Amino acid sequence: MRRGALRIIGTAIGAAAGLLLSPWLIEDQVALSLALFVASSIGVLGLQVSLHGYAWLLGAVTCDMVLLATLDDPTSALSVACNRTAEVTIGTLAAILVSHLLSPREDHAPPRPQAPGWSDLLGAQWASTQHAMRAGLGVMLVPLAWSWLQLPSFSQAAITVAAVMAVPVLSDDNAANRESITARGTHRILGCLIGGLAGLAVLVVSFENFLPWLAALAVGVWIGAHVQASARDIGYVGTQGAVVFIMTMVQGSGPPSSIIPGIERLAGITGGLLIVQIVAILLAPSAARVAAR
């Protein structure tokens, strides 16, 4: 219930912020990139230091999605903001309902996670601040790289934003942080490829009826959730695989009529993930700098 409430509240606030900012950023790619940097950095930092970090993350992701949509269609900010808020609300309420009906009953609620708070960001929490800025820079470079390379399916940059911002909490060990960032990025790309290729394989079957398509979607998500719950430290592969499987399979309110949108989505997501992963590796603390300390 708490996580669902944070998701809905964060999404609504982020959608409103993106909608308010969009009139000043339309047709100004430099200003838009700076806004993406600020929103993404704040979202990542809030995820790591705030007790309500999930709301900060979802707010920043949604704000970025609304702003990125204006690059394709300057008039789409309102529809994207409203639709995104409605979609997240419906999906979250469905998840809460299923969890309430099917989850085992707990005698006691689990303890709330501890958070360091927003104090001393330039001191004891400087590692988190640096990592948030690296994430913001990675997100900021996505639209610039997309325009320069003329890559397809630019709208999937929003999915890349969500992926790069879901980062682990960092420690004071820079070498361990670098290893964690690299491992998470590798799992992210691997899950993306597995989920996307699985989705394309299902689309080749070309389901024409709603129920078989829905059953295939449910099975794919179940497999992703099973891997996510694995004790072999590959859970994020399942998470990313399930997300990309859904994005490839779901192109409307029913079975898709063409495999081409799925291919474009997979290409867009993979390209964006590679961009942000390169940024994360290049800007992460190097072993030489760690040794010098």
Side-chain angles (χ1 to χ4, degrees), residues 46-265:
L47 175 66
Q48 298 184 73
V49 305
S50 173
L51 182 62
H52 309 297
Y54 195 53
W56 284 96
L57 173 67
L58 267 296
V61 168
T62 307
C63 179
D64 287 347
M65 292 181 70
V66 174
L67 294 179
L68 286 168
T70 61
L71 289 177
D72 284 334
D73 181 3
T75 64
S76 65
L78 179 60
S79 62
V80 171
C82 294
N83 290 338
R84 177 65 180 175
T85 303
E87 291 164 358
V88 167
T89 302
I90 293 171
T92 302
L93 293 178
I96 291 174
L97 176 62
V98 171
S99 177
H100 178 74
L101 294 176
L102 302 181
S103 294
R105 300 301 179 190
E106 297 286 349
D107 293 334
H108 302 284
R112 291 187 177 183
Q114 298 297 317
W118 292 89
S119 62
D120 205 14
L121 296 179
L122 301 180
Q125 300 190 67
W126 178 237
S128 295
T129 303
Q130 284 183 307
H131 190 54
M133 294 174 66
R134 284 195 294 268
L137 180 59
V139 174
M140 181 184 74
L141 292 178
V142 169
L144 299 177
W146 237 258
S147 300
W148 180 50
L149 298 176
Q150 297 183 348
L151 296 175
S153 192
F154 174 78
S155 62
Q156 294 313 306
I159 306 303
T160 300
V161 170
V164 73
M165 291 173 66
V167 294
V169 177
L170 299 182
S171 67
D172 293 330
D173 188 341
N174 284 328
N177 292 339
R178 181 182 178 87
E179 182 179 349
S180 176
I181 293 169
T182 303
R184 191 173 179 85
T186 302
H187 288 175
R188 181 184 297 141
I189 294 174
L190 181 61
C192 172
L193 293 176
I194 293 174
L197 293 176
L200 293 178
V202 174
L203 289 181
V204 170
V205 179
S206 186
F207 290 113
E208 296 181 357
N209 296 322
F210 180 79
L211 290 181
W213 168 77
L214 189 62
L217 180 62
V219 170
V221 174
W222 182 88
I223 293 174
H226 182 71
V227 176
Q228 177 181 263
S230 171
R232 299 181 179 180
D233 199 27
I234 57 171
Y236 195 59
V237 175
T239 303
Q240 187 66 31
V243 169
V244 178
F245 180 79
I246 294 171
M247 294 304 302
T248 305
M249 286 280 291
V250 180
Q251 302 170 18
S253 58
S257 58
S258 173
I259 194 176
I260 300 302
I263 295 175
E264 291 181 347
R265 289 187 175 198

